């Protein structure tokens, strides 16, 4: 950092003599985000954009030095993701020289400054990252006045989550305060690196523990509906889309006032009442008694993970039985029991998909398509990531201390439907808090008409065994990965027991052997030998790039 009058010189990150980039296996959280990103590489759902206002007597050089120190401390800020021998791998650079754009707005009025800040945030949301090149973040320094800066920061979720946002704010604020006061910054100890965490995570998932978790989840999710029955406004396309939009509203004062007391009377946490109202909403609109919801969990239970920058979020699959017309209080109990039991059997989501023979439908995310999120008051380190212009799920309902919002896939859901769902959720929550003994059928919702969910495309004909040379090459690759022969070129890879990691290995092998560019997204849209053989014929010969 820069040393000015009355300032101490902070430690400047130095290159490590002879150091080379390190290649280590990716964490399970990185795998989940990487796979999802490859399904829609241009979507903004995995780009987190934030802004921090710095009130301190610091210079542009001081802020650049602050980021250099952050980069040295946190491996994730100098990490890229690459495929090595068919396996997703972290590629950690010993150092980087971040390019920070600087804009001087000191002469602009408040309205002009606000416009520029807003446009910069919007620009960074739209700007994609190449996951094979570090850093997977970018920032701009906006000078607002002699002692005021706005730092607009964007990062890919594969290296950064909401708790990272909190940690970056804390450290950047402390470094700037230390510069201003002429002292060394007091930053938290980092006893573990992110690559160390990834290795510890894999060690924890030992074969016996993996077998125990697999047995539990196979029982727990037996007969899981492949897709929810919530009516959609448009047919589901064969390939997933991430066209996010949102509606939001303030929580009614009677809700914020009564929520803590109602939770105490029911012996649970306020968030469980919010989640139960969401389950009730989904039940009333879908008439489905088997409700499955994805819950993001921070993945930072151990104290040594709390101060780190990186991605740790895991998705928990919560299955709730809503049969028997329970009262709202009973539903809260069912939701709490399901969520707490599931948490004890926490398993990386990507591993869960690998272990379960779940059916894969075109354009349908595996295991769950409806999600719920709760952001603690202040959005502190317990917060999970919020929306950023894209939508990973069909529907996400998020509750904060005073706001509720629904993020929805605009390719499937109309805004009017989202408005109705939001209004119904608030009505259900108010009614449930007012009378916890009210049966679910009595809770108020608006009627819904029609259901345009798209059926799965019917197979037009059986194809039999592979006949063409290319189909036989693909079938050989399937056999090597799945351990079973292909008897019908129209058989679904995932119905035969394949999972995402095996698909990656197979595509990696075919791409390398035949110098072809193969798309994971296209394969997921048509996961058959016939479809992949057609794609391989169309693409050969080309250099492999993963999209």
């Amino acid at each position: 950092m820069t040393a000015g009058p009355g300032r101490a010189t902070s430690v400047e990150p130095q290159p490590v003599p002879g150091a080379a980039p390190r290649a280590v296996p990716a964490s399970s959280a990185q795998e989940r985000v990487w796979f999802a990103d490859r399904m829609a590489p241009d979507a903004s759902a995995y780009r987190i954009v934030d802004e921090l206002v710095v009130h301190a007597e610091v210079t542009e050089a001081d802020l650049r030095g602050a980021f250099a120190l952050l980069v040295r401390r946190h491996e994730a800020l100098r990490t890229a993701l690459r495929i090595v021998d068919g396996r997703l791998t972290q590629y950690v650079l010993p150092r980087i020289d971040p390019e920070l754009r600087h804009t001087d707005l000191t002469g602009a009025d408040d309205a002009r400054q606000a416009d520029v800040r807003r446009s910069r945030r919007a620009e960074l949301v739209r700007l994609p990252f190449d996951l094979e090149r570090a850093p997977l973040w970018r920032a701009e320094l906006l000078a607002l006045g002699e002692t005021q800066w706005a730092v607009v920061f964007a990062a890919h979720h594969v290296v950064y989550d909401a708790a990272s946002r909190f940690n970056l704010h804390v450290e950047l604020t402390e470094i700037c305060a230390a510069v201003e006061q002429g002292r060394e910054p007091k930053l938290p100890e980092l006893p573990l690196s992110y690559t160390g965490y990834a290795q510890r995570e894999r060690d924890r998932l030992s074969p016996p523990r993996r077998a125990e978790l697999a047995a539990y989840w196979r029982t727990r999710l037996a007969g899981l509906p492949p897709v929810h029955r919530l009516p959609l406004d448009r047919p589901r396309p064969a390939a997933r889309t991430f066209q996010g939009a949102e509606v939001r509203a303030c929580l009614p004062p009677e809700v914020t006032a009564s929520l803590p007391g109602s939770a105490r009377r029911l012996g649970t946490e306020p968030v469980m009442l919010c989640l139960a109202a969401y389950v009730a909403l989904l039940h009333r609109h879908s008439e489905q008694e088997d409700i499955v919801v994805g819950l993001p969990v921070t993945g930072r239970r151990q104290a040594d993970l709390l101060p780190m920058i990186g991605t740790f979020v895991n998705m928990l699959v919560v299955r709730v039985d809503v049969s028997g017309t329970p009262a709202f209080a009973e539903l809260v109990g069912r939701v709490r029991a399901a969520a707490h039991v599931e948490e004890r059997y926490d398993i990386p989501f990507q591993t869960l998909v690998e272990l379960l023979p779940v059916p894969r439908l075109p354009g349908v995310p595996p295991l769950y398509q409806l999600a719920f999120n709760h952001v603690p008051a202040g959005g502190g380190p317990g917060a999970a990531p919020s929306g950023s212009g894209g939508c990973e799920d069909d529907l996400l309902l998020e509750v904060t201390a005073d706001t509720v919002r629904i993020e929805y896939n605009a390719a499937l859901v109309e805004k009017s439907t989202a408005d109705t769902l939001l209004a119904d959720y608030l009505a259900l929550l108010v009614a449930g808090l007012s009378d916890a003994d009210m049966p679910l059928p009595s809770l108020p919702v608006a009627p819904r008409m029609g259901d345009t969910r798209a059926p799965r495309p019917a197979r037009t004909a059986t194809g039999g065994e592979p006949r063409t040379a290319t189909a036989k090459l693909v079938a050989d690759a399937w056999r090597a990965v799945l351990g079973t022969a292909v008897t019908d070129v129209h058989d679904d890879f995932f119905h035969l027991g394949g999972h995402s990691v095996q698909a990656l290995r197979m595509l990696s092998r075919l791409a390398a052997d035949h110098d072809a560019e193969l798309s994971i997204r296209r394969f997921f849209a048509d996961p058959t030998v016939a479809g992949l053989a057609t794609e391989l014929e169309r693409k050969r010969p080309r250099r492999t790039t993963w999209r």
Side-chain angles (χ1 to χ4, degrees), residues 328-340:
F328 184 74
E330 182 181 346
L331 178 63
V332 171
R334 294 185 188 184
V335 168
R336 182 176 185 272
H340 285 196

Side-chain angles (χ1 to χ4, degrees), residues 155-359:
H156 197 283
H157 188 28
V158 81
V159 295
Y160 191 81
D161 58 16
S164 298
R165 172 190 300 172
F166 178 84
N167 293 336
L168 184 137
H169 280 209
V170 168
E171 292 199 14
L172 189 59
T173 300
E174 166 58 20
I175 294 170
C176 291
V179 170
E180 185 178 43
Q181 297 166 18
R183 59 175 174 81
E184 295 295 322
K186 299 175 182 177
L187 301 175
E189 293 274 344
L190 296 175
L192 187 68
S193 66
Y194 189 84
T195 53
Y197 152 75
Q199 183 59 52
R200 186 173 74 182
E201 177 190 49
R202 294 183 181 278
D203 293 342
R204 181 181 66 85
L205 203 61
S206 62
R209 178 60 174 165
R210 187 183 178 98
E212 177 189 1
L213 292 172
Y216 169 79
W217 284 106
R218 286 188 181 118
T219 301
R220 179 65 180 140
L221 300 182
L224 185 78
V227 65
H228 64 80
R229 295 208 302 265
L230 192 70
L232 301 176
D233 297 309
R234 300 187 184 95
R236 186 186 298 275
R240 287 180 65 184
T241 63
F242 296 80
Q243 302 173 28
E246 69 169 51
V247 294
R248 62 173 63 212
C250 293
L251 284 175
E254 60 267 33
V255 169
T256 56
S258 63
L259 197 54
S262 297
R264 282 194 299 271
R265 285 191 296 274
L266 294 176
T268 188
E269 308 85 12
V271 62
M272 289 299 160
L273 277 69
C274 297
L275 176 55
Y278 184 46
V279 170
L281 175 76
L282 299 176
H283 166 66
R284 291 296 305 276
H285 276 264
S286 68
E287 299 182 352
Q288 197 169 2
E289 294 183 338
D290 192 356
I291 301 296
V292 182
V293 177
L295 300 183
V297 292
T298 62
R300 294 176 182 251
R301 293 181 184 176
Q302 295 88 356
D304 56 2
L305 303 183
L306 293 177
M308 293 174 61
I309 290 177
T311 189
F312 298 85
V313 175
N314 188 35
M315 294 305 299
L316 192 65
V317 181
V318 176
R319 187 179 192 182
V320 182
D321 178 8
V322 194
S323 62
T325 63
F328 184 74
E330 182 181 346
L331 178 63
V332 171
R334 294 185 188 184
V335 168
R336 182 176 185 272
H340 285 196
V341 168
E342 255 72 311
E343 195 169 2
R344 289 202 298 272
Y345 289 89
D346 188 14
I347 184 174
F349 182 78
Q350 202 64 32
T351 304
L352 183 61
V353 173
E354 294 174 28
L355 292 175
L356 298 182
V358 293

Side-chain angles (χ1 to χ4, degrees), residues 467-492:
R467 293 186 177 87
T468 68
T470 304
K472 291 177 181 178
L473 289 173
V474 172
D476 287 343
W478 280 42
R479 184 184 304 109
V481 170
L482 297 179
T484 182
V486 176
T487 58
D488 189 332
V489 294
H490 290 307
D491 279 344
D492 188 298

Side-chain angles (χ1 to χ4, degrees), residues 412-429:
L412 304 175
V413 178
E414 296 277 4
K415 181 180 183 300
S416 59
T417 299
D419 286 330
T420 298
L421 290 170
L422 181 60
D424 283 351
Y425 175 77
L426 291 173
L428 282 166
L429 185 57

Side-chain angles (χ1 to χ4, degrees), residues 17-56:
R22 292 186 296 119
V24 295
S27 70
S28 59
Q30 288 175 324
E31 286 182 344
R32 182 183 69 84
V33 176
W34 186 92
F35 272 114
D37 178 88
R38 281 304 181 265
M39 300 299 293
D42 295 329
S44 61
Y46 302 102
R47 295 193 284 276
I48 302 174
V49 178
D50 196 14
E51 182 178 338
L52 171 65
V53 177
V54 177
H55 296 279

Side-chain angles (χ1 to χ4, degrees), residues 249-252 255-257 259 274 374-379 398-404:
C250 293
L251 284 175
V255 169
T256 56
L259 197 54
C274 297
H374 173 250
V375 179
E398 181 177 85
V399 178
T400 69
D402 56 5
T403 304
V404 58

